[in-house]
Amino acid sequence: MAPHSPAQVRGAALLADPLLNKGTAFSSEERAELGLDGLLPPATETLEEQTGRAYAAFLGYDKTLNRHIYLRQLQDTNEVLFHALLTRHLEEMLPVVYTPTVGEACRRFSEIYRRPRGLFLTYEDRHRFREILRNRPGGEVDVIVVTDGQRILGLGDQGVGGMGIPIGKLSLYTAIGGIHPARTLPILLDVGTDNEQLLANEHYLGRRQHRVTGEAYDEMIEAFVSAVEAELPGTLLQWEDFATAHARPILGRYQDRLLTFNDDIQGTAAVALGALTTATKVAGAALTDHRIVVLGAGSAAVGVADMIRTALVEEGLSAQEAADRFWFVDIDGLLTDSRTDLTPEQRVYARDDEDVRRWGGPDAPDLARVVGEVRPTVLIGLSTAHGAFTEEIVRTMADSCDRPVILPLSNPTSNAEADPADLARWTDGRALIAAGSPFPPLTVDGREVPVAQANNVYVFPAVGLAVTAARARRVTDRMMVAAARAVGECAVRAGTDGATPLLPPLASMRDAAREIALAVARAAVEDGVAPEATEADLREAITKTQWTPRYTS
């Protein structure tokens, strides 16, 4: 089905459809022909003029949450104008549309709710999911983002408020990847909430029961996947902000069955690998030279290690040699073989107890002890433990490493393991830094240097663009590693050196997305999960697929 056409829509109904509404950009001829005379102010504006006016209105709000609400209302009124505005001011508006402001929007979802967007699928309706999917606005869908709201950013269980995440993510699929907004679908699986504050809130808009668990939960996920397979076959399904206990099992169950990936596990990992790839080039080292300490052992942290391990194997290490480059620390200390609380995915990185005993001291060393013994070249944080990278730990690392790579990736900002300004100060400006949330620029050698934000926005829009353009059937590990390497290459081409960010400039991400998508599409063809195509074919398909916000007559 082609994107929205105004052929049968006229008058007030046309103005009420955000995918067709042009507002004051309707010409006098269009107004007469489409029954719009009298429904709009007399002035006729270009999209450029509308964007300038909308930007001035955006700046008129002092609080970031109010700016978020304004942008969401604009999106609900005029999709082309919203995406034109977002694309033009991407770097400024990204923290408002998505992290960190979207966290507050999720927390207050029921309070600021204005207009429905996407689909809400409840546990009670699990036998009718295919029927409900037919209620979606529009027809064919290229990308679905789905969450159950259980682990929203670093905020935990937000229940129905988690819908803010798929909405925000899909706006970036469009603004950066160029997926047509009519072909995106945000979905909230409402299985209840264990957040007692939400359950006690008289205005809470979600299912007012505790979360469905166990076999009943798994059955609901299967019902959802089956409905998507039947109703929207070939659609990219992105899993977002599921709890650790569910995220990896769901991915493992379905990644070989349909076109799907988990952004928290694979997207975060690809961005981290991209930043590490750039940092390694800046430091004049090889990826295989690194000793990597990871704080946090949830699905995102393990996903980061798995992707770096895949890249290490591609560079010649055995699987065991690659795993031996990592030391994982969680709330109970270093992951070791004798621990009985580890998942199979975590156990891959457990260290030999005998080796740890030679260090002396406690059987489960904490982060400071591990850093002191291992002397890592890379320190990654995905723990949500604010301030965990202390001055003592960072100085210890920097004492034995000329260019320490430090990635405090937890978000929102209040959960970051360290402030980049502190990291720069404690290492005399030698640290190569990427953070999970936006931070102010650093001053290094008298220069103002932006802090690279290891935001998944570098990867997931390009993956969506790639699989749509290349008609891929699956998302493979090699496709995600290809995305990561391409992110690093884009950063290097942008002129990265030791004092500039480890990731490409956000302002030019639409251009970078095409290059990253090309790398992903090539890997899809090489892996046999997309039809045969030359690089020239793929580049042309990507250019044709990437939608640009502009009005049509």
Side-chain angles (χ1 to χ4, degrees):
M1 173 178 167
H4 269 41
S5 165
Q8 294 84 29
V9 187
R10 294 172 51 81
L14 179 57
L15 298 180
D17 187 329
L19 287 160
L20 299 178
N21 179 30
K22 301 191 325 191
T24 53
F26 281 113
S27 67
S28 56
E29 294 80 11
E30 287 174 321
R31 297 182 191 201
E33 182 181 343
L34 297 170
L36 298 175
D37 282 336
L39 297 179
L40 293 163
T44 300
E45 294 180 298
T46 64
L47 177 58
E48 182 87 12
E49 290 168 336
Q50 285 181 316
T51 304
R53 186 162 51 80
Y55 182 57
F58 170 84
L59 294 177
Y61 293 95
D62 294 332
K63 295 180 179 178
T64 55
L65 181 61
N66 290 340
R67 289 183 172 186
H68 176 94
I69 293 169
Y70 169 74
L71 291 176
R72 283 281 295 106
Q73 288 179 319
L74 183 61
Q75 184 180 16
D76 287 339
T77 304
N78 183 331
E79 290 265 11
V80 171
L81 176 54
F82 166 76
H83 287 292
L85 178 64
L86 180 56
T87 302
R88 180 170 305 172
H89 301 282
L90 183 62
E91 194 165 7
E92 180 180 3
M93 293 185 176
L94 182 62
V96 179
V97 170
Y98 204 61
T99 56
T101 309
V102 74
E104 180 71 3
C106 289
R107 225 174 41 80
R108 298 172 63 177
F109 179 84
S110 297
E111 175 187 337
I112 67 173
Y113 179 81
R114 300 289 192 276
R115 179 173 171 171
R117 176 173 285 267
L119 293 177
F120 297 84
L121 304 182
T122 65
Y123 175 71
E124 286 74 18
D125 288 331
R126 63 194 180 280
H127 303 302
R128 301 174 50 237
F129 280 171
R130 185 174 182 185
E131 174 190 339
I132 295 172
L133 281 176
R134 292 178 187 142
N135 291 340
R136 67 189 182 276
E140 294 179 9
V141 176
D142 290 328
V143 184
I144 292 170
V145 177
V146 62
T147 187
D148 70 352
Q150 189 167 10
R151 202 229 63 186
I152 296 300
L153 304 175
L155 302 173
D157 188 345
Q158 297 301 313
V160 78
M163 182 53 124
I165 298 293
I167 291 171
K169 274 272 160 92
L170 285 168
S171 69
L172 299 177
Y173 265 106
T174 297
I176 295 170
I179 303 299
H180 195 290
R183 300 177 69 96
T184 66
L185 181 61
I187 294 180
L188 188 283
L189 297 177
D190 194 345
V191 294
T193 179
D194 292 331
N195 184 326
E196 296 298 337
Q197 285 185 312
L198 293 179
L199 291 173
N201 184 342
E202 62 178 331
H203 300 300
Y204 179 59
L205 293 175
R207 183 176 181 270
R208 203 177 289 272
Q209 296 182 46
H210 285 100
R211 283 188 171 269
V212 174
T213 59
E215 288 185 11
Y217 179 89
D218 293 339
E219 288 169 6
M220 178 174 174
I221 298 295
E222 174 61 30
F224 168 65
V225 169
S226 297
V228 170
E229 285 179 309
E231 187 64 26
L232 293 167
T235 296
L236 176 63
L237 177 59
Q238 179 192 312
W239 306 92
E240 183 70 29
D241 283 355
F242 284 74
T244 298
H246 296 309
R248 189 169 286 274
I250 288 173
L251 179 62
R253 200 177 307 141
Y254 298 113
Q255 64 182 348
D256 295 326
R257 179 169 147 184
L258 67 159
L259 184 66
T260 191
F261 75 106
N262 182 300
D263 191 48
D264 303 299
I265 297 174
Q266 295 162 286
T268 299
V271 178
L273 175 57
L276 181 57
T277 299
T278 313
T280 301
K281 289 179 180 177
V282 170
L287 194 64
T288 51
D289 294 335
H290 286 305
R291 298 180 303 280
I292 304 166
V293 169
V294 184
L295 181 65
S299 56
V302 173
V304 167
D306 286 349
M307 188 156 296
I308 297 172
R309 183 162 56 98
T310 298
L312 289 169
V313 170
E314 284 187 3
E315 299 208 1
L317 297 187
S318 69
Q320 188 57 55
E321 287 171 335
D324 286 343
R325 295 293 193 272
F326 294 87
W327 287 259
F328 266 84
V329 180
D330 68 4
I331 194 169
D332 295 315
L334 182 68
L335 269 58
T336 57
D337 288 333
S338 61
R339 284 183 49 173
T340 59
D341 59 338
L342 305 185
T343 65
E345 293 79 21
Q346 292 170 328
R347 195 160 292 284
V348 170
Y349 299 102
R351 307 299 303 195
D352 184 273
D353 287 88
E354 191 54 44
D355 291 343
V356 176
R357 286 193 194 97
R358 294 193 190 103
W359 297 354
D363 291 337
D366 63 8
L367 179 64
R369 186 62 190 272
V370 171
V371 169
E373 293 291 340
V374 172
R375 301 286 168 162
T377 58
V378 180
L379 182 59
I380 300 173
L382 278 159
S383 64
T384 71
H386 178 69
F389 294 170
T390 64
E391 181 174 359
E392 177 190 4
I393 287 170
V394 172
R395 288 191 181 277
T396 298
M397 179 186 182
D399 283 345
S400 58
C401 178
D402 184 47
R403 301 306 303 271
V405 182
I406 307 178
L407 310 177
L409 300 182
S410 291
N411 57 44
T413 312
S414 57
N415 289 342
E417 287 81 6
D419 187 314
D422 290 332
L423 297 176
R425 189 171 71 254
W426 297 335
T427 62
D428 300 319
R430 292 184 288 119
L432 297 164
I433 305 164
S437 292
F439 280 92
L442 305 178
T443 302
V444 179
D445 296 330
R447 286 186 296 164
E448 196 172 79
V449 178
V451 176
Q453 184 189 350
N455 194 309
N456 294 16
V457 75
Y458 285 105
V459 171
F460 68 80
V463 171
L465 177 58
V467 300
T468 302
R471 293 178 291 129
R473 300 180 300 276
R474 298 288 182 273
V475 177
T476 66
D477 290 342
R478 285 190 68 251
M479 290 162 66
M480 299 302 288
V481 171
R485 293 188 187 279
V487 168
E489 288 166 8
C490 287
V492 171
R493 278 201 298 274
T496 300
D497 58 34
T500 53
L502 301 182
L503 295 164
L506 283 170
S508 60
M509 268 311 297
R510 270 182 74 89
D511 296 332
R514 288 194 295 274
E515 296 304 312
I516 299 164
L518 179 62
V520 174
R522 286 171 55 190
V525 172
E526 290 166 8
D527 278 355
V529 297
E532 282 295 326
T534 66
E535 182 170 325
D537 292 336
L538 293 172
R539 192 178 288 279
E540 182 182 0
I542 286 166
T543 301
K544 286 182 177 177
T545 300
Q546 193 177 46
W547 176 79
T548 298
R550 62 170 64 97
Y551 292 133
T552 56
S553 297

